Amino acid sequence: TDRKKLHTAPLGQVFRLRPFHVLIATGGGYAGYRKYEDYKLEQLEKRGIEVPVKLASEWEVALYKSVPTRLLSRAWGRLNQVELPTWLRKPVYSLYIWTFGVNMKEAAVEDLHHYRNLSEFFRRKLKPQARPVCCLHSVISPSDGKILNFGQVKNCEVEQVKGVTYSLESFLGPRISTEELHFSQAPPGNSFQQQLVTKEGNELYHCVIYLAPGDYHCFHSPTDWRVSHRRHFPGSLMSVNPGVARWIKELFCHNERVVLTGDWKHGFFSLTAVGATNVGSIRIYFDQDLHTNSPRYSKGSYNDFSFISNNNKEGIPMRKGEHLGEFNLGSTIVLIFEAPKDFKFHLKAGQKIRFGEALGSL
């Protein structure tokens, strides 16, 4: 007689699925499947087996883009800011270090209890001697990472990985005025690529560097140059690991990115920081007006900001190796620049590289 009565809801209410829940479950499950496929491809590459290029279909890309990665990345950013209890810091950070192979001996502060939250740990500084800057070469690596591709830009197409390309104009956006960039007027040309080459006899080059979660997350100036313009593209935040880059054509054009454009001694120079899943936060140290992965910006648009003004005719001068910005986790840096025809890269596709090491020289 003292038994409590159990009240149950009708089965129809218990199993009622909302469209948002279906979207999360479907998209999340498919993303997990793709991660497994990427893992298998990596294992084949390690064994030296050539992997044929298999591009995603339109419906696969649309399904992937339907996953609310921007919202999830903002949530991840909030979580990273939560201060961890002192007793919990070492176990949490040690697990991350073990998972991604982080070398804490290079960190300026090796004591894990020093980092109050995950965000501080991701953005840790290195000891000054840990990354010596090469003085013998004109262009150095702006970050730690893996070289995905490099070489000359041909036919207005850039390779994100071997055999998979994206449009140069879609990636950088419309041409910026030569007056704003301090350029001499470019020779008349029909293609977007020819418009970027401002000096006769020069070629356009590119280099793509992928930052893994265990890499040093800050990036630096790759050479001596002047930054004149910033263009921010709000977009998706799909994964940019090499497996996905091999699968989705024009991946870098879909994702959120910040394009810094200017000039160096040989003409046009640009550095683009590409966002990714859980890396919606891209910070440029000298640009306090930049706010990435913000709900106020819609996909498919872009916003410009000029560092040239009546009070500043030179833009932002950057010295080789100087701190430039940081990612929240890890992502991709794309360099596109003009140089004479005898410019040579000192790289191999797939090699690991560290900030300060040589990319190329004349």
Side-chain angles (χ1 to χ4, degrees):
T1 57
D2 294 331
R3 290 178 182 173
K4 295 181 180 179
K5 293 182 179 181
L6 297 178
H7 297 275
T8 58
L11 287 177
Q13 294 181 15
V14 174
F15 294 103
R16 182 181 298 169
L17 295 176
R18 298 179 180 179
F20 180 74
H21 297 157
V22 174
L23 183 64
I24 291 291
T26 305
Y30 191 76
Y33 166 74
R34 287 307 316 172
K35 286 287 186 181
Y36 174 68
E37 290 293 311
D38 296 341
Y39 170 77
K40 291 198 299 183
L41 289 176
E42 288 178 4
Q43 296 305 308
L44 290 174
E45 286 184 342
K46 288 181 180 179
R47 292 160 55 186
I49 300 175
E50 186 73 21
V51 180
V53 175
K54 182 181 178 182
L55 295 178
S57 61
E58 291 185 8
W59 73 265
E60 287 178 309
V61 176
L63 180 59
Y64 192 1
K65 291 175 71 174
S66 70
V67 179
T69 51
R70 288 166 61 86
L71 179 61
L72 293 173
S73 297
R74 284 196 288 270
W76 175 253
R78 297 279 181 88
L79 180 63
N80 286 350
Q81 298 293 334
V82 175
E83 185 169 344
L84 297 176
T86 305
W87 62 269
L88 189 58
R89 295 174 188 175
K90 188 171 183 179
V92 171
Y93 302 146
S94 296
L95 177 62
Y96 187 91
I97 290 169
W98 176 79
T99 302
F100 296 108
V102 179
N103 184 5
M104 284 303 293
K105 292 183 178 180
E106 298 176 334
V109 180
E110 296 184 39
D111 182 12
L112 298 180
H113 296 101
H114 169 79
Y115 303 100
R116 294 173 297 176
N117 52 49
L118 283 166
S119 182
E120 286 189 1
F121 179 72
F122 292 148
R123 296 181 287 107
R124 64 192 177 276
K125 305 300 181 184
L126 299 183
K127 295 173 182 174
Q129 66 274 19
R131 296 290 186 275
V133 175
C134 177
C135 299
L136 300 177
H137 297 83
S138 54
V139 184
I140 62 169
S141 176
S143 66
D144 289 7
K146 177 182 179 181
I147 301 295
L148 294 189
N149 219 301
F150 64 92
Q152 284 190 18
V153 177
K154 297 180 180 179
N155 302 320
C156 296
E157 293 282 324
V158 185
E159 280 195 319
Q160 58 191 30
V161 293
K162 184 178 180 181
V164 182
T165 63
Y166 56 92
S167 163
L168 179 65
E169 186 170 6
S170 297
F171 182 71
L172 295 179
R175 179 77 166 100
I176 301 165
S177 67
T178 54
E179 292 80 5
E180 188 173 341
L181 294 178
H182 292 288
F183 288 162
S184 57
Q185 185 62 45
N190 296 325
S191 71
F192 182 80
Q193 177 178 336
Q194 290 172 323
Q195 294 174 32
L196 295 181
V197 178
T198 63
K199 297 181 180 180
E200 188 174 354
N202 280 2
E203 298 287 348
L204 205 61
Y205 297 87
H206 74 98
C207 182
V208 183
I209 306 170
Y210 167 69
L211 288 74
D215 287 327
Y216 169 55
H217 292 355
C218 296
F219 51 92
H220 301 246
S221 176
T223 191
D224 296 335
W225 65 308
R226 293 181 299 178
V227 184
S228 304
H229 187 272
R230 178 257 292 163
R231 176 168 285 160
H232 171 216
F233 289 86
S236 301
L237 289 173
M238 296 183 283
S239 172
V240 293
N241 73 54
V244 177
R246 187 186 295 107
W247 181 55
I248 298 181
K249 183 178 174 63
E250 299 205 331
L251 171 65
F252 298 154
C253 297
H254 291 297
N255 271 16
E256 182 152 9
R257 60 199 181 277
V258 177
V259 182
L260 299 179
T261 309
D263 63 297
W264 69 319
K265 59 183 178 181
H266 299 297
F268 173 82
F269 199 96
S270 73
L271 180 148
T272 302
V274 183
T277 307
N278 294 336
V279 197
S281 175
I282 302 171
R283 183 183 173 194
I284 304 297
Y285 294 138
F286 58 75
D287 189 355
Q288 301 303 315
D289 295 323
L290 175 65
H291 300 285
T292 57
N293 195 17
S294 172
R296 64 179 174 175
Y297 297 126
S298 59
K299 296 180 184 178
S301 62
Y302 65 84
N303 53 83
D304 288 344
F305 184 84
S306 175
F307 298 109
I308 304 295
S309 64
N310 293 331
N311 298 326
N312 180 11
K313 301 291 186 182
E314 298 299 318
I316 308 294
M318 297 296 301
R319 304 294 297 175
K320 184 167 66 173
E322 185 178 352
H323 276 84
L324 181 55
E326 63 190 31
F327 291 112
N328 226 11
L329 188 60
S331 193
T332 298
I333 296 287
V334 180
L335 302 179
I336 299 175
F337 58 93
E338 174 185 0
K341 291 182 178 180
D342 56 350
F343 181 87
K344 300 294 182 183
F345 284 102
H346 305 288
L347 303 171
K348 293 181 180 179
Q351 78 172 70
K352 292 288 290 183
I353 198 165
R354 304 202 302 177
F355 155 62
E357 295 179 346
L359 284 186
S361 62
L362 297 170

